[in-house]
Amino acid sequence: MSDIQALLAALDVFTRAPDKALLEKANSWLQDFQHSSQAWTTCNLILRSPDVPPAAKLFAAQTLRTKVTYDLAQVDPSLLFTLRDTIIAALEYFKDGPRAIILQLCLALSGLALQLPAWTNAVEGLIESYGKNPSMVPVLLQFLTVLPEELYSNTKIPVTDQEYAERSAQLLGSCSKQVLEMLSMYLLAAGVTHAIQNQVFACLRGWLTAGEMAAVDVTESPIFEFCFQALASDQLFESAFNTICDLIHETQEIDENMPAIERIVPKVIELKGNLLTSEDNPEKMKGYARIFSEAGETYRLLILQHTEAFFPIVEAVGQCSAYPDLDIVPITFPFWMRLAQSIGKKASIPPLLRNAYKSLVTVMIKHLHFPQDPSALTAQELDDFRSFRHVMGDTLKDCCYVLGAEQCLLETLQLVQAALASGTDIPWQNIEAPLFAMRSMGAEVNTKDEHAVPIIMQLIPTLPTHTRIRYAALLIISRYTEWINAHPDYIHPSLQYISAGFEDSDQDVIGAAGQSLKYLCQDCKQHLVPFLPDLHTFTSNVGTKLAQEDKVVVYEAIAHVISAMPMDQAAQSLKTFSSNTLAAVFTTASKPGVATKQELQDVGNGLANLEVMLHVVGSFGDSLPPACEGTCQEVWPVFDAFLAKHGSDYESAEHVTRVLRHALNLFGRVVLTIAADILGRMTTSFSSSGLSCYLWIASKVYSRFGDEEDPVLREAVRDLYERSTQKILVMLQEKSAATLPDVFEDYIRMLMNLVEFAPDIFFESSAFPAAFHIVLAALTLIHSDTIFASLDLIRMVLTHDCLAPDPLKHPPPKFPLYASAIHQVIDKECFEFTSLLLKGLVGDFPEETASIIVTLFRVLASLWPGRLQQCIPVILQGLPVNSAPEDAKVRFMKDIDDAIRAKQYDKVKYAVLGIHRASRKARDRRKVVSLD
């Protein structure tokens, strides 16, 4: 009874006001209880105790299910049938509910049945015992419903593949016909309730989808006719249409299931008339849409082979697609997509199907219409509708795939022309919807089209200036830029329309104009080179009025044109477009006093524009054009002065370093002349600000020139290494390591470059022990990228050639110095290092780190065997049992000792992976199910 009282007390914590400490303590106690062997008896007592609250009984049932999955080995084999009888007795006790308890007990019984091959007649025996007992029928049906799902989905049950195959065949395959007969009997029994009939449908679906009940057997049973009859019942409708859909789905192997299909299809076609009588009932329409779409998708090849016979199904899907409820319409989309894919493989398209897709184009455009009063929609509803329009756009692409983009565009164009011809009072929605459709179909347009697209491009400048229409028209241009590239006569009118869009007061229209300009410049860049002076004038005049996000898009567009120019012209143009930004940086750096927040923001915006231009232009190659030869040396002092004054401002630092990153690609080896100066500024700026971007860009600079033997550069690298290490040590005294993930990651990646390019600086410096300590501190973070970087760096250190030089070669003279430095650090940090590895392995490290940890333990076992054997027992003792079970700890220690004793260090792998698997299994099961 003491266990029961303790359990009730722990559960009671979850019903009171939340207290984090109490909740964690109670949760831990409950998890430990679920692991214990006493839980079997305690749970049985709780289930049978009338005074125990329902939440405790549910927890007991959940625990039984969990223990059957994980801990059946705790039960003496001779008592397994007693356990079975205990679960069955509990089911009898709870036959009237609650359903949640019945469900957990049925899952437990299913798991036990799989692991108890001696129970040879599990399904047959339960049917015989309870099949004719009305009070136990609901329990029996629940068990039979969860049995196939539990056997197929609960991969945690510890059985071999062969055991599983043999037992599942015995439990399911050999009993399927008996179960089908029983279900048919219940479904048609006199006085049967709707609740039982719904359970029968659920059970049938479980066996069907598990593949344990043949579709042809179902169609030949009385249950088949009843599935369709049940659609007339409001209480059974949902269960019936779900069952019909599953039955159709299980006949996907057409040739094997033709007898079943011959029975199903006529019954489905008969339902077509129900669409008219159910128009006012969205829920029923949803069910019918599911049935017809499933039938159409499953039998699409038969539709192509016997179009007239199967076309009523296509018509029915079309009616569902045209239904005004947009929650129902997308149910049909997979059918249209997959049918279009199948049609695309045929030499000819049946006229009936062409007409179906032509009708679908009109239907989709009708659905694309915004409501007459969009303000009546909430913001969320408006966002959902906009997202759904793009989904409908994909279906329009399916129509293009069948009919051809040209025909679809001409059909859509007629709708726009008809709307324009009807007068000035036409709702803007009647024009905008087909324009959106044209945009959606743009991806299917042939760049050689000479019939539809020219008319569209000529039409665009004549459209009304309503903001939604202009927005849609601009995005059509952005989608048709590849076609425009093949028809350059349309570039100028397109540019004019885009330019007018930038002058609109609506921010969405301005954003659309920016997108159009970007793609026009990207795809038509060769043709736009003569327009570059106009674009420069545009940025100087209209560009200053744009929001920053729109400016960035414009500068990106211009950069595409620059990238198409001859090298000398491109360099001069880049210089022209960047001059204002560089002048602003110089002015802000030279200004007496501290710049205002707005001034720094303006400089940052200019740098963002410059960054995107440099990114698009990329590199000029090995030799710089004359216009760029001295630029690097001229511009760096401007940035240097700016960082000296404003380098502690986060946004300014980010903008400058990102520009430097792209400038490094642009100027290439020319940067070498100022590389030491850049590293010096990054060192000083990091030391004063602690901003990680300085380490990031310093690492990029050094990785580019790491092979250089320039003594000034190497001294700058040494200074960066030692001062940044000292700065991080200071930061760790002032802040928690958890607040510095970016600093850790960029610092560690910088160290990785040092190991590769300057091992003498890395290992021989007095900063090496502190640097290694910082890397260990990074392993305490719950931050995947940082952990991977830390482990990779440690692997580079511990597997360095200096620790195991090739005796057949002459090792570099400094290898002994490197090896000595590594040994001194590991001798000092071995316990902390090993502890972090093991805690991370059984704790919060990403799963993919296991292979790196195997390598690290293999090196420790081979080079520091004594220290490792001293450390591990103490470390294992401190690992919590809930993440590292005691038997797994013992096995790990033994495997490590055996590998070291035999000097078979590769076997360390099995020790590490063994405790990793045991830990993962323990953590998976230590979850208390919600008691709501």
Side-chain angles (χ1 to χ4, degrees), residues 343-354:
I343 288 174
K345 300 173 184 177
K346 299 292 181 180
S348 61
I349 303 171
L352 286 173
L353 296 182
R354 288 188 65 89

Side-chain angles (χ1 to χ4, degrees), residues 261-277:
I261 294 170
E262 289 172 349
R263 290 173 178 268
I264 292 170
V265 170
K267 302 296 292 184
V268 170
I269 291 176
E270 282 180 21
L271 298 177
K272 186 168 175 279
N274 293 4
L275 293 176
L276 291 176
T277 59

Side-chain angles (χ1 to χ4, degrees), residues 475-680:
L475 290 179
I476 288 177
I477 294 176
S478 75
R479 189 61 65 90
Y480 286 51
T481 49
E482 291 182 2
W483 183 91
I484 295 173
N485 183 51
H487 301 78
D489 290 347
Y490 290 92
I491 290 178
H492 188 260
S494 297
L495 271 177
Q496 286 184 316
Y497 194 79
I498 291 169
S499 181
F502 280 113
E503 296 177 2
D504 199 288
S505 59
D506 186 271
Q507 287 300 314
D508 287 342
V509 173
I510 295 172
Q515 290 297 313
S516 297
L517 183 62
K518 180 177 81 169
Y519 289 114
L520 189 70
C521 291
Q522 179 176 312
D523 292 330
C524 309
K525 53 190 176 185
Q526 298 285 354
H527 299 298
L528 282 167
V529 170
F531 293 91
L532 198 60
D534 296 332
L535 292 173
H536 185 258
T537 303
F538 173 81
T539 58
S540 302
N541 298 331
V542 179
T544 57
K545 304 173 187 176
L546 300 179
Q548 174 57 21
E549 58 266 27
D550 297 319
K551 286 182 186 176
V552 170
V553 175
V554 169
Y555 276 91
E556 181 182 354
I558 291 168
H560 284 294
V561 179
I562 292 175
S563 69
M565 301 174 75
M567 190 182 297
D568 290 345
Q569 294 179 34
Q572 187 58 54
S573 296
L574 187 60
K575 200 168 186 178
T576 299
F577 277 93
S578 62
S579 59
N580 289 341
T581 296
L582 296 174
V585 175
F586 177 77
T587 300
T588 307
S590 306
K591 178 184 175 183
V594 179
T596 66
K597 184 176 180 181
Q598 185 60 50
E599 288 172 331
L600 290 178
Q601 184 175 332
D602 290 342
V603 170
N605 290 342
L607 290 171
N609 300 336
L610 178 56
E611 177 196 346
V612 75
M613 293 188 75
L614 293 175
H615 172 69
V616 172
V617 172
S619 170
F620 286 125
D622 294 334
S623 59
L624 287 176
C628 285
E629 285 179 353
T631 304
C632 188
Q633 291 81 358
E634 293 169 6
V635 171
W636 168 245
V638 176
F639 285 120
D640 187 42
F642 181 80
L643 290 178
K645 193 169 185 179
H646 303 292
S648 294
D649 179 70
Y650 174 80
E651 292 294 338
S652 297
E654 286 286 327
H655 283 302
V656 170
T657 52
R658 287 202 296 266
V659 167
L660 290 177
R661 174 71 179 92
H662 293 297
L664 188 61
N665 288 335
L666 180 72
F667 292 107
R669 285 194 58 80
V670 174
V671 178
L672 180 60
T673 59
I674 58 170
D677 293 337
I678 295 175
L679 292 181

Side-chain angles (χ1 to χ4, degrees), residues 742-762:
D742 292 343
V743 172
F744 277 120
E745 186 176 351
D746 289 325
Y747 173 74
I748 290 166
R749 296 199 184 282
M750 181 192 75
L751 296 185
M752 292 168 78
N753 282 326
L754 283 177
V755 176
E756 181 178 358
F757 295 114
D760 56 332
I761 294 176
F762 180 70

Side-chain angles (χ1 to χ4, degrees), residues 823-842:
H823 274 282
Q824 290 178 31
V825 166
I826 298 301
D827 287 343
K828 178 183 177 183
E829 302 281 7
C830 186
F831 182 87
E832 180 67 16
F833 171 44
T834 308
S835 177
L836 288 168
L837 286 183
L838 275 175
K839 287 178 180 177
L841 182 69
V842 303

